[in-house]
Amino acid sequence: PAHLDDLTVVADRDGATGVVRAAVSVAGETSASVRLQLRDAEGELVAEATGADAELRVPDAHLWGPGAPYLYDLRVELVDGEAVVDRYSLPVGIRTVRVDGTRFLINDEPFYFKGFGMHEDHVVRGKGHDPASMVHDFALLEWVGANSFRTSHYPYAEEVLDHADRLGLVVIDETAAVGMNVGVGGGMFLGGDRVTFSEDTVNDATAAAHRRHLEELIARDKNHPSVVLWSVANEPESHTLESRDYFAPLFDVVRELDPTRPVGFVN
């Protein structure tokens, strides 16, 4: 049977009006149509539309922002006559992100990242997601005055981003590309210099896996307002022509998949 397959949301502003652009894909053959409703935090209907590519406009929109999160509820239904074939609900935050020179702007206001490269690792549980430890971590972030964190060096559980959406913490979302600097590693641990980019080290197969990872990361996390920047790697070799040849196509992939967020790496 036909069902809702994917939902991509881009939420930004046109002056004081919030604009939520939704692209819905449907799997399977069907004559059913797509119906969308956007409700505010009190459950009141503020906008509705029909069609797989729809635009919902919200006058005097409440913006999602650091420390001041506001989430709308986007309800998507696949409707065949009077029958609802499938439905999906998604929290939506309306906000803008852009870089202006050396300033990082959220909702056109300068944002200064105060936070951590965190790890999804705990003394008792070890490596992995634990809801109670997550709540404790977020409480510690608030306690020390942090407003952001980076998912070093891998994507975290989706529940972490859901919690960041609800609490208004800003996230740099990073892939598991760490240690792509064999020259440093070789000098420290292997008794001499090594070449990072070669057929025997970081090569075409690495780039293909890296690309798939980026595609999967963006497909999963694209609708989280807390995610403001994609990090393609942690501390890679970045000063050589070979590193530019390796990373430039990956940056292009990210910008093509999501032109709404900046992309970078951590160094």
Side-chain angles (χ1 to χ4, degrees), residues 11 16 33 41 70 90 99 102 119 126 130 134 140 142 148 156 171 200 203 223 229 243 250 253 263:
S33 59
Y70 190 96
L90 178 73
V99 174
T102 58
H119 281 282
D130 176 65
M134 176 191 72
L140 290 174
E142 180 181 6
S148 55
Y156 289 180
V171 178
D200 298 324
N203 53 29
N223 293 327
L229 189 148
S243 61
L250 297 177
V253 166
V263 54

Side-chain angles (χ1 to χ4, degrees), residues 49-137:
T50 58
D53 291 287
E55 181 176 283
L56 301 96
R57 301 183 69 84
V58 186
D60 300 319
H62 292 272
L63 300 182
W64 186 98
Y70 190 96
L71 293 173
Y72 290 88
D73 180 31
L74 179 62
R75 303 178 187 181
V76 184
E77 294 181 332
L78 188 62
V79 182
D80 190 0
E82 297 297 320
V84 177
V85 178
D86 196 9
R87 60 164 53 95
Y88 187 75
S89 180
L90 178 73
V92 171
I94 299 173
R95 59 104 179 95
T96 61
V97 173
R98 65 186 180 93
V99 174
D100 178 27
T102 58
R103 300 190 305 163
F104 195 95
L105 304 179
I106 300 178
N107 298 326
D108 292 329
E109 295 291 333
F111 178 76
Y112 187 81
F113 289 85
K114 296 183 294 182
F116 301 90
M118 287 176 59
H119 281 282
E120 202 172 37
D121 197 324
H122 303 95
V123 173
V124 175
R125 295 290 187 184
K127 171 69 184 79
H129 175 67
D130 176 65
S133 296
M134 176 191 72
V135 172
H136 184 237
D137 279 348

Side-chain angles (χ1 to χ4, degrees), residues 153-265:
H153 305 296
Y154 37 78
Y156 289 180
E158 293 180 76
E159 291 87 346
V160 176
L161 298 182
D162 290 336
H163 206 47
D165 290 341
R166 290 190 294 266
L167 296 185
L169 260 79
V170 171
V171 178
I172 297 173
D173 209 359
E174 188 167 273
T175 68
V178 58
M180 300 178 68
N181 196 331
V182 182
V184 171
M188 287 182 177
F189 310 118
L190 302 178
D193 291 339
R194 297 292 190 274
V195 177
T196 299
F197 301 96
S198 74
E199 292 184 2
D200 298 324
T201 51
V202 178
N203 53 29
D204 291 342
T206 312
H210 201 160
R211 175 178 179 137
R212 287 195 302 273
H213 193 174
L214 288 166
E215 292 169 344
E216 293 168 0
L217 178 73
I218 294 169
R220 193 195 73 164
D221 296 347
K222 62 192 173 185
N223 293 327
H224 287 282
S226 59
V227 175
V228 300
L229 189 148
W230 305 111
S231 173
V232 302
N234 174 79
E235 300 182 23
E237 179 180 308
S238 59
H239 64 285
T240 59
L241 292 176
E242 291 81 4
S243 61
R244 182 178 182 86
D245 291 340
Y246 178 87
F247 281 107
L250 297 177
F251 272 66
D252 290 341
V253 166
V254 176
R255 292 187 176 114
E256 180 181 353
L257 292 172
D258 180 18
T260 72
R261 291 178 177 90
V263 54
F265 63 90

